[in-house]
Amino acid sequence: MRVQITNGMLMGLIINMVYAKAIGLTQGSMAREVGRDIWLSTIIANMVAAAFMVFVVLVIQRMPKGDLIEQGKKMIGAWFGKLLAIIFFLYFLSSMGPIMATFVYHLKDYFLPDAHTMVFIIVAMVVGCYAIYFGIEVIARMALVGVFSVLSLNILLLLGSIAKFDIRELLPIFESGVVNTAWAGRHLFADWTMVFMMIALILPNVKQIKVWKRSNLAGVLYGAGFILMWPIVETGVLSARVAGEYIVSCMQMARSAQIGVYIHRYEMIMVAFFAVSLLTQSMMSLYCASISLQKVFGLKSYRPLIIPVGLLFGGFGYWIVFDHARAMRFIEHEWIGISLSIAICVPLFIWLVGFALKDKLKNE
């Protein structure tokens, strides 16, 4: 019997899948390109992401009992299904680069600089592999806790920084030009592609098909709102120039926040709430990669693949994050090319093929 999750759990997964990387490393990359216009780039990228999410859901709804891989297999053949599964696996393998960079650089650079990088990789992989062994329902329930953590973090950070906020730092708008501002949003849209690819695999496991579109759109809009607060506050408190100087600009923002006299090491509070979202993101990438590989080999269960996938992902993640310069080059260049090309082209191709071969999907 197929395990199913609720639409509320789905929304929690959507929010957690994008939040950690989007506020952790993305804002600094965008600030280095367009300065104080990062909040406008964030709005534009979120709007495009919401529209594309609706498109992905509409494509999947043509065959609601199967994911995009199964849909491709149904229309073209088993060989094409395996090809799609390999593409999905390579995508989630690539996603482990920015995910592990977010995880390691938050913890190592700001809390445990003397700890070996491998310690953080091992912890992330062991926790992730242990969680996905019990299935998507367990991860989805954890994602609901992650939403509470995200909300708490945003509220606390806002309370701790509002006194230092200067709205004049956000002006003038579109100082970098409309085109450049919109183009800088590709960094955030690349983060949203992790959500699109996840939805392409797990949406058939979600109950109540009739509300799929609404719940997915709501998840994107809530996630967009949680993310948008960060570039606005970072620009108004730190200034965009300062935010662009840091790899993990959100931690510097947390250091600037303060409530009262005693709560001043705010980055410690941030990581306490932030960790759930970080781990959920790595868990879902491991889960989706294992599901993809299961379809490649035609296995009945993904569980025998958990350890091999975890070892491969851990090795790749370590290779990426060991060198800060290599990690940032990958995140700001290769990752964007890989994520945008796959996450846009795969659903678009399946949608186009569906017109020519729509008779094969009628009975579905």
Side-chain angles (χ1 to χ4, degrees):
M1 183 177 178
R2 184 173 60 183
V3 176
Q4 288 194 312
I5 62 175
T6 66
N7 282 272
M9 292 178 179
L10 175 69
M11 291 169 60
L13 287 172
I14 291 172
I15 293 169
N16 283 275
M17 194 64 175
V18 69
Y19 182 81
K21 165 62 170 60
I23 75 163
L25 304 183
T26 302
Q27 301 305 324
S29 298
M30 293 166 63
R32 288 188 283 275
E33 281 196 27
V34 293
R36 69 188 71 199
D37 286 331
I38 55 175
W39 65 282
L40 293 169
S41 296
T42 301
I43 292 175
I44 295 171
N46 286 334
M47 291 173 60
V48 176
F52 196 78
M53 174 60 83
V54 173
F55 169 72
V56 173
V57 173
L58 291 175
V59 174
I60 298 174
Q61 281 183 325
R62 297 187 307 186
M63 184 179 162
K65 293 183 180 180
D67 53 42
L68 281 192
I69 296 175
E70 294 298 325
Q71 194 172 140
K73 178 181 177 181
K74 179 76 174 179
M75 291 188 296
I76 300 178
W79 67 271
F80 185 71
K82 291 184 182 295
L83 176 61
L84 278 179
I86 293 172
I87 292 173
F88 270 78
F89 177 78
L90 293 175
Y91 171 87
F92 285 107
L93 175 62
S94 299
S95 75
M96 195 51 58
I99 290 173
M100 282 296 98
T102 306
F103 183 80
V104 173
Y105 294 159
H106 274 80
L107 297 178
K108 180 176 172 63
D109 292 1
Y110 286 84
F111 293 101
L112 300 167
D114 295 329
H116 197 281
T117 302
M118 184 59 72
V119 173
F120 301 98
I121 300 295
I122 292 174
V123 169
M125 291 302 103
V126 170
V127 173
C129 291
Y130 179 76
I132 68 173
Y133 178 82
F134 293 99
I136 188 174
E137 188 175 7
V138 172
I139 307 173
R141 292 184 186 278
M142 184 175 174
L144 294 177
V145 178
V147 173
F148 170 77
S149 299
V150 166
L151 181 61
S152 301
L153 173 59
N154 276 30
I155 292 173
L156 287 172
L157 187 95
L158 190 60
L159 291 175
S161 58
I162 194 68
K164 302 177 182 178
F165 184 81
D166 185 358
I167 196 171
R168 291 173 296 182
E169 290 289 343
L170 275 66
L171 301 173
I173 64 172
F174 289 116
E175 186 178 30
S176 303
V178 176
V179 175
N180 290 335
T181 301
W183 178 242
R186 73 190 185 280
H187 294 283
L188 178 56
F189 192 77
D191 299 335
W192 278 112
T193 63
M194 289 189 280
V195 175
F196 305 148
M197 298 295 280
M198 175 188 72
I199 292 300
L201 285 180
I202 72 168
L203 193 55
N205 294 319
V206 180
K207 301 176 182 178
Q208 297 178 305
I209 297 174
K210 293 182 180 179
V211 297
W212 276 1
K213 189 195 305 182
R214 186 173 63 194
S215 58
N216 276 273
L217 183 58
V220 172
L221 294 178
Y222 280 124
F226 290 142
I227 294 167
L228 179 60
M229 189 200 82
W230 286 85
I232 293 176
V233 174
E234 285 177 11
T235 304
V237 176
L238 295 179
S239 81
R241 181 185 62 80
V242 173
E245 293 293 326
Y246 293 91
I247 294 177
V248 188
S249 58
C250 66
M251 291 301 288
Q252 194 63 28
M253 179 65 242
R255 281 183 168 178
S256 300
Q258 181 176 343
I259 296 179
V261 177
Y262 298 104
I263 305 179
H264 52 85
R265 287 304 305 272
Y266 217 83
E267 68 271 25
M268 298 179 70
I269 299 174
M270 176 178 176
V271 167
F273 286 115
F274 195 60
V276 180
S277 181
L278 271 170
L279 289 172
T280 303
Q281 198 173 49
S282 63
M283 289 172 191
M284 284 309 301
S285 287
L286 284 166
Y287 176 80
C288 292
S290 299
I291 292 294
S292 300
L293 212 57
Q294 175 196 355
K295 295 178 183 296
V296 173
F297 295 112
L299 302 177
K300 293 182 179 180
S301 174
Y302 68 89
R303 287 181 174 86
L305 298 169
I306 292 176
I307 293 179
V309 169
L311 291 173
L312 179 61
F313 275 41
F316 178 73
Y318 177 78
W319 179 76
I320 289 290
V321 303
F322 186 76
D323 186 327
H324 282 64
R326 177 168 57 213
M328 294 312 297
R329 282 197 304 270
F330 179 81
I331 291 169
E332 295 183 349
H333 299 286
E334 287 86 353
W335 160 244
I336 291 177
I338 294 169
S339 61
L340 296 186
S341 59
I342 293 178
I344 293 175
C345 292
V346 168
L348 185 61
F349 181 76
I350 297 295
W351 176 66
L352 291 172
V353 171
F355 278 113
L357 304 174
K358 57 184 177 181
D359 290 340
K360 292 189 175 183
L361 298 176
K362 278 186 178 180
N363 294 330
E364 299 295 333

